[in-house]
Amino acid sequence: MDQNDKLELTVVALRDATVSFGSSFTLGPLSFGLCPGVTALLGPNGAGKSTLIRALAGIQRISSGYVSSPSAPRGAGYLPQQFRAPQWATPADYLRYVAWVHRVPRAERIGAVDRALAAVGLEDRANHRIRSLSGGMLRRLGVAQAIVHSPELVLLDEPTAGLDHDQRLALISVIRRIARESAVVVSTHVLDDVARLGERVIVLDAGRIDFVGSMDDVVTAGAKIAGDTSITARGPDIAGALEALVRGRGEAGERA
């Protein structure tokens, strides 16, 4: 799918959307669209990243405005920041259940489960109890349950948390493949992951969009803030531009 095709296919659109928690915090108003590709979501703790992801998933009700839904039957896939799965089940059993919940046809479920397990490198753990999985494996299972039904919209809240370097790189490759056909939103504090993943970056601060743009826009803005015009979109330190950008907006971020 080329860039022109992506521009013509808006999976989800927000129009003046807000989520209000009384007088304590309000997210928005936010207006933007999501097309196939990766959108990285950055911002300090409490900026509203997880609230936005839950609103996109349809879990958090919006207070005003409009959020469209991805079309059925593919819908959305969601990995929460705190992912839990039934400890007594096996990954294969659990994913078959998730596929059933998302109305994957019976004849297609085994193949869908096998593909999801292979995508996150858990084929050899398919029939082990979930309670035997390491923290990193459990996180990868969380990604698998978000993609088992081939959703149009994939929402991943801190997907690389708890993964080692090699596991992170492998998962990033998976996310990039998914993003060829799906709109993927990734919330993370690991700036090197954003540098490898992001086609578009949104920075939230206090519930409002503080920055939105492509990686080229990130480089331009970050280099200006850092006073370093040697930073380029293809240079080795694009994460440096991201760090300068988010530091300039109040978040230090993490470098892997």
Side-chain angles (χ1 to χ4, degrees):
M1 180 179 295
D2 62 29
Q3 191 63 33
N4 289 332
D5 292 332
K6 289 182 180 181
L7 291 173
E8 294 174 359
L9 181 59
T10 300
V11 174
V12 172
L14 294 84
R15 191 176 306 147
D16 295 324
T18 68
V19 176
S20 179
F21 297 93
S23 60
S24 60
F25 177 79
T26 297
L27 174 71
L30 304 178
S31 296
F32 61 87
L34 294 171
C35 299
V38 181
T39 297
L41 190 59
L42 296 173
N45 290 334
K49 301 186 300 296
S50 293
T51 299
L52 174 56
I53 285 181
R54 288 197 300 270
L56 290 169
I59 296 169
Q60 175 68 57
R61 291 185 61 182
I62 63 169
S63 303
S64 63
Y66 171 78
V67 178
S68 67
S69 300
S71 60
R74 292 177 63 191
Y78 170 53
L79 170 67
Q81 194 168 9
Q82 301 296 327
F83 169 71
R84 294 179 178 85
Q87 298 293 291
W88 49 265
T90 67
D93 289 337
Y94 174 62
L95 292 179
R96 280 193 289 270
Y97 168 73
V98 174
W100 173 77
V101 168
H102 287 287
R103 300 183 180 179
V104 175
R106 179 191 289 263
E108 299 175 15
R109 282 178 209 156
I110 292 177
V113 168
D114 289 346
R115 286 190 296 273
L117 287 169
V120 298
L122 286 178
E123 311 100 302
D124 60 342
R125 293 284 180 165
N127 297 307
H128 291 239
R129 298 294 183 188
I130 289 174
R131 62 171 173 261
S132 71
L133 302 183
S134 67
M137 290 177 181
L138 185 63
R139 202 68 187 155
R140 284 186 278 158
L141 178 61
V143 175
Q145 63 82 34
I147 66 173
V148 69
H149 57 298
S150 300
E152 284 191 321
L153 175 65
V154 180
L155 304 162
L156 305 175
D157 201 348
E158 301 288 350
T160 61
L163 304 186
D164 63 30
H165 179 73
D166 290 341
Q167 291 171 341
R168 281 178 43 242
L169 292 181
L171 184 54
I172 286 169
S173 295
V174 171
I175 293 171
R176 290 179 67 88
R177 288 198 300 273
I178 297 167
R180 294 172 188 167
E181 300 294 336
S182 302
V184 181
V185 179
V186 177
S187 173
T188 181
H189 287 85
V190 183
L191 299 183
D192 286 314
D193 289 353
V194 178
R196 293 185 177 98
L197 270 175
E199 299 172 10
R200 182 190 194 197
V201 174
I202 295 176
V203 179
L204 284 179
D205 188 18
R208 302 294 184 94
I209 292 179
D210 200 37
F211 174 88
V212 59
S214 67
M215 274 301 183
D216 286 338
D217 297 328
V218 166
V219 168
T220 300
K224 183 177 180 180
I225 292 170
D228 184 359
T229 57
S230 68
I231 297 174
T232 68
R234 298 188 181 278
D237 197 35
I238 189 173
L242 282 161
E243 185 169 14
L245 178 66
V246 295
R247 278 184 184 277
R249 287 162 166 79
E251 180 194 5
E254 295 179 10
R255 298 290 296 276

